[in-house]
Amino acid sequence: RQPQRACSCGHPFGSESHHNKNTTLINMKTSTMMRSNYAVALAAILASPQTAHSFTLTPPKSSSSLTTSLSATSSSYQEDLTFTPPNTFTEGSISEELCTAAAQKMKRVMVPVSTDISDTGFVGISFIHFEAQKSSSSSNKKTLPLLLVHGFDSSALEYRRLGPQLAAMGVDVYAVDLLGWGYTQLENVKSFSAAAKVEALQGFWNTVGGSGEVVVGGASLGGAATIEFAAKNLYKEVSENDSENNNNNNNN
C-alpha cells in the first residue's frame, strides 16, 4: 500500500472522510476528564523510579549499523533542512489550537538505517518534542523521558493533547512518526515494512535520545512497534545480567 499523509484524526489529507466536518469532529472528540486522568496516572508512573524501571529500556550503546557521527546527544543531531512543518489550516482545514501548536513544533531528523531501507543509510523521521516544564515545586526525583508512537494511518499529532499535559507535569515527551506515516520521508525509501519501522524508531532514539533510558508507549500499530523496540533492547540487557549472575555463581 502506498503510504499516505495523515492528519491528527487518522484520515489522509484530501480524503472525502477527512473533509466531512462531522466525521472529523467525531474522530477528534475526546473526554477531557479521561485525558486528564490518563495524563495524571501516566505522570505518576514516570515519576516513580521503582515503577518506571519496569517500563524502561536502555538501547544498545553501540551498533555498527547504527553508529553515526550525527548521533551523540539529544542536542546534536542533523535536522532535515528540506522539511517544512505542516500547516493544519491549508492542508487539513483543522482549526484546533492544540493541533496547530503541536504542528508548529514538528521537526524532521535524519536517522541512520540499513541500506535495505535507504541507499543513503539515512531516512527522515518527523517528531514533536513536548519539552518538560520545570518549576520550583518540581520533585527532585529522576523522571525518564517518554517516547510515544501513534497508531495506524495517523501521525505524532495524535498526542497533541496528551503531550502538553505531561510536559506541564515535568515529563519530557517525544511523539514520533512511524516510517511511512505522518510526515516522515517517503522519497527514496525502499522499504516501509514492520521491521523497517522498528529499525527507524531505534535509529531515532539513538540519534535524538542519545541511546539513553526511556519509557515507551504507543497506540495500536505504534504499540506493536514499541513492544518490538523494547523487547530487543530489554533482551540484550537481561541476557547480559543473567550471564554476569551465572559467572558469579560459578565462581562461588
Side-chain angles (χ1 to χ4, degrees), residues 6-247:
C7 77
S8 55
C9 66
H11 294 296
F13 283 139
S15 70
E16 181 179 355
S17 56
H18 179 266
H19 287 286
N20 182 312
K21 183 177 181 181
N22 292 331
T23 302
T24 301
L25 291 176
I26 290 172
N27 277 278
M28 295 181 70
K29 185 177 181 181
T30 305
S31 166
T32 302
M33 182 178 294
M34 289 180 65
R35 294 200 309 272
S36 299
N37 289 345
Y38 180 50
V40 171
L42 188 52
I45 290 174
L46 296 173
S48 171
Q50 292 181 339
T51 307
H53 182 72
S54 64
F55 290 91
T56 64
L57 60 93
T58 305
K61 296 302 180 183
S62 62
S63 171
S64 58
S65 63
L66 295 175
T67 300
T68 169
S69 60
L70 301 179
S71 174
T73 66
S74 58
S75 60
S76 59
Y77 53 77
Q78 179 177 312
E79 289 187 34
D80 182 350
L81 300 180
T82 67
F83 176 71
T84 301
N87 186 323
T88 58
F89 289 104
T90 59
E91 292 187 55
S93 300
I94 299 174
S95 59
E96 181 186 0
E97 291 183 5
L98 287 174
C99 185
T100 300
Q104 291 174 346
K105 290 177 178 289
M106 187 174 287
K107 298 179 180 180
R108 195 160 73 186
V109 61
M110 302 305 294
V111 309
V113 293
S114 66
T115 52
D116 291 336
I117 299 175
S118 171
D119 287 332
T120 65
F122 291 91
V123 70
I125 297 296
S126 40
F127 72 102
I128 303 169
H129 181 198
F130 298 100
E131 191 171 356
Q133 298 176 21
K134 307 298 182 182
S135 67
S136 57
S137 59
S138 297
S139 171
N140 291 325
K141 292 181 180 179
K142 177 184 178 183
T143 301
L144 294 170
L146 174 62
L147 182 64
L148 291 176
V149 186
H150 63 83
F152 181 81
D153 202 8
S154 189
S155 76
L157 292 173
E158 192 170 302
Y159 296 106
R160 65 196 179 279
R161 299 172 181 171
L162 181 60
Q165 291 190 56
L166 290 172
M169 297 176 185
V171 180
D172 220 22
V173 179
Y174 293 86
V176 60
D177 283 337
L178 282 174
L179 179 62
W181 297 114
Y183 299 88
T184 60
Q185 176 184 338
L186 300 181
E187 299 78 15
N188 303 316
V189 178
K190 299 191 294 183
S191 174
F192 295 97
S193 67
K197 285 174 168 55
V198 175
E199 184 179 331
L201 184 61
Q202 176 79 70
F204 170 81
W205 191 247
N206 284 2
T207 301
V208 175
S211 300
E213 285 189 313
V214 62
V215 178
V216 296
S220 185
L221 177 63
T226 53
I227 287 173
E228 290 291 329
F229 174 43
K232 289 182 178 180
N233 291 282
L234 284 174
Y235 179 79
K236 182 178 187 300
E237 183 179 348
V238 171
S239 296
E240 289 177 347
N241 291 338
D242 287 345
S243 297
E244 184 176 337
N245 291 334
N246 289 335
N247 291 333

